[in-house]
Amino acid sequence: MTLSPGERTIYAFFNDRVAARGAAEALQEAGFEYPFVDRLDRHKGADYLSASTLHPDGFGEQLGEVDFNRGFFFTLKTKDDLVNKAIGIIQKHEGFV
């Protein structure tokens, strides 16, 4: 994923598919692009985190609560000025950023 100046990639992690899909749909309804949703057990979570542009107000310390063997994640590209709005929507759906 290529980022332009003023853009960020948000990685959100969820413990179940329903929460991940709910957050993705809420983001789309709020005007964001529909994020790519996938299972973590097919990937190494560290691969995604190492390439992230995590927001400084993110809540990465909560990632210890995610079951990386059965969890779900999504990737969302957004503009810097919309990051906090996106994080708020994700958190309402039990996601960890």
Side-chain angles (χ1 to χ4, degrees), residues 60-95:
E61 65 275 2
Q62 295 177 346
L63 290 177
E65 298 176 32
V66 176
D67 181 350
F68 283 95
N69 293 315
R70 289 182 288 185
F72 289 81
F73 75 97
F74 69 61
T75 308
L76 174 71
K77 183 168 92 170
T78 190
K79 296 182 181 198
D80 283 343
D81 60 341
L82 296 175
V83 169
N84 288 331
K85 181 178 180 179
I87 289 173
I89 293 169
I90 292 164
Q91 289 175 333
K92 284 181 185 176
H93 292 271
E94 302 175 5

Side-chain angles (χ1 to χ4, degrees), residues 9-46:
T9 302
I10 297 174
Y11 294 94
F13 299 86
F14 301 85
N15 282 318
D16 63 69
R17 182 177 180 268
V18 173
R21 289 279 182 204
E25 290 169 5
L27 285 162
Q28 186 177 36
E29 289 172 13
F32 293 91
E33 291 182 24
Y34 195 85
F36 174 77
V37 179
D38 203 356
R39 287 187 63 95
L40 280 167
D41 62 354
R42 296 189 320 186
H43 306 281
K44 292 182 180 178

